[in-house]
Amino acid sequence: MIKHLLSPSNLKRFALRFAKRIQIVPHKQLKQLTSSTRGTVWLAEGTDPQFVIHPSLSVGGKHFSSGWYMLRICINEHLHQPQLGRIYVSYGPGDDDVFDLPWQSKKFVNRLFYIRKPVAHVRFDPCESETEFCLTSLNLIPVPLLLAKRHMFERVIKRHQAGFGQSPYECKVSISNQALKSNCSYVKMLSNLYNETFAPYSEDKSYAFWINYDEPVKRKVYEESLIPDNKIGFSIILPTYNTDPILLQKCIDSVCNQEYENWELCIADDASSNQATLDILKRYQDKFPKKIKLKLLSKNGHISKSSNAALSLATKPFVLLLDHDDLLPLHTLRYFSGAINQNRSAKFLYGDEDKIDEAGERHMPHFKPDWNRDLLLSQNYICHPAVISRELLNNVGGFREGVEGAQDHDLFLRITQTLHADQIVHIPFILYHWRVIAESTAANASAKSYTSEAGLKSVQDFLDNTKSGGIVQPGKFPNTYKIKWPVPADAPKISLIIPTRDGYDILNQCVTSIVSKTTYSNYEIIIVDNQTSCNKTLELFGELQSQYENIKVIKWDKPFNYSAINNYAVNVADGELIGLVNNDIEVINPDWLTEMVSHALRPEIGCVGAKLFYPNNTIQHAGVILGIGGVAGHSHKYFQATDPGYFTRLYLTQNLSAVTAACLVVRKAVYFEVNGLNEKDLTIAFNDVDFCLKVKSAGYRNLFTPWAELYHHESISRGEEDSPEKISRFNSESNYMKENWGELLKNDPAYNPNLSLTHENFSIK
């Protein structure tokens, strides 16, 4: 119970309870712009804006008493740049306590701090820059010591290097030892470590810092192995229409200044009425007659037609797509040439990108995964920059008219339809700057609603052309899509395997939720009894078998071995499909099993994983990311249920290297093909990751679907990894994974090498 007292839902209740006990007063460099039920919009007019928080006089408050407090904030900053806030507690001249509070737009941040003696007010500085932001929530909540200790410890073990790779028991011992060496209390040492997790370091630092310090280092290392081939030529196709002359000039200059010289710029103007735009184009053509080709269309035909007109001018073997106000970094073509030289079978290449505003400031980097078919069906994650074999581009007929607004997405779907994975290359460097201007899709995906409609048509046409039977539907966010894959009328049987030992309450909850909520009808439940001694649980076994014909209980009278238990059950299962289900799972949406089965029946798909939540409605699992913490971590762990995630990936079906066996569906034939779970080397941990990697190595795509939602009351029945024996076994299994999958663990193709292997929040590495 204590574990969840500081859960988001309880914090919200605490916040409402104490909301009337504080007064928030703008003190310095803050101008109120608007106010509504959604929050108050403020303009920070300098680099030191300040709020002062007082106890409310309406409840007789004069001071904040000594003790632990939590500042809970949610701020929406209009450029979505990470910001560094600070809490100041002043006890008198020269006697201040300062607490860092990094935050990101639209994300709730909870920050504990200690007030040593009563104070009249607390100061909160929201940021260190001139910016506009909406303060949607700010509450100051007193917290008892017991809960403060628990909250700090949970954050330290998840986010501080002192907690990495250690069990809770080991971490507590380590903190106690550090406290003894430093001659301070356990709480003081814990507080120090907790405060360090809020320092403006890797996950919270600004992208500008990464650009100035990290990007050059990464590029230097990469360029040592880069061997461009000057014979590889690029035709850059650039459709224009009434482009702002200044932005157009910058765009063309970014091509002309490329470090790699084997290029031609093919421009097709779509009947611009702005003479200044035309003048710029003609001037550059006159200046670079051998490098720049220009076609002026007499009638406006929209983006697909003008792109095809530019394509008709191309003569080089590879084509790069460029929008009329965007920018290419100087090294873009050199990197693409080097990648093609290293992989001569490459037909389609893409890189990472960021956005650039009208002031030239770079922000919002998109660090993409390697080739990801199901993610491309859910969203045009590739976007810019894209380089395509001109022969292939011509073979598919170029850009298709009738899907304007999603013409690139449509093109990528058609181009990749016949390509093998090794013909699609991703370069994990920022190779494109997408211009953000008013009404652009870069600034706001909903600015052009027709793009989503065109995207729906493009995806559906792809599904029809491939005869997949899939039906596309709008996703939760603009320009995202959900595909309903077919399940035959004579739906195949799936065997849901649930290992358990005792655990009456959670098992009863699990099975009851499955039988009462699941709409997929052709399933059996196989409960594997691993030495249950609880009479109440044993009685439940009998009741379930007598009440339901599709539930049976089998015995595994040996020491707990998760892999062996499941392998045993699969061998006696009747289903064509297998569902590995923990006994602490609880169904949320009734279509969960239909959704998972529909993917598992696709011949190219291997393991299918679900979206799992903690009971407090934060994310427990949204797929597995290799390498985090040394072996693997859970994508977007602890994010709010409504959070879109990294570029909306919490609401996108996508291929991932692995998913958790807490709720996993796979065809039985695939299970047997890879010899099931490893019951010799991986008895408890990482057996599901290892299994998924074996399935992936066999040529199948593993998949995460956000449309199968369940609660996961994680490890309630088994307990924590806190004994010497469990720690030794965990380390042994961890070492096994590193020895067998080491290279893959270092570079998950469904992730990006620029993203953190320490945190599970897609922060910059």
Side-chain angles (χ1 to χ4, degrees), residues 537-583:
T537 305
L538 292 170
E539 290 174 4
L540 176 64
F541 292 159
E543 293 171 2
L544 292 174
Q545 290 183 98
S546 62
Q547 186 176 356
Y548 300 101
E549 293 182 357
N550 63 338
I551 296 181
K552 60 184 175 183
V553 179
I554 61 176
K555 288 189 176 295
W556 175 263
D557 194 15
K558 299 177 183 180
F560 182 78
N561 180 326
Y562 181 83
S563 297
I565 288 172
N566 281 286
N567 289 343
Y568 171 68
V570 170
N571 278 289
V572 301
D574 295 331
E576 177 184 332
L577 299 109
I578 298 298
L580 305 182
V581 180
N582 276 19
N583 65 347

Side-chain angles (χ1 to χ4, degrees), residues 262-283:
N262 192 353
W263 59 265
E264 63 181 3
L265 180 58
C266 305
I267 306 173
D269 183 79
D270 200 15
S272 289
S273 58
N274 185 349
Q275 188 59 45
T277 299
L278 298 174
D279 290 343
I280 290 288
L281 296 177
K282 292 174 182 177
R283 184 167 55 126

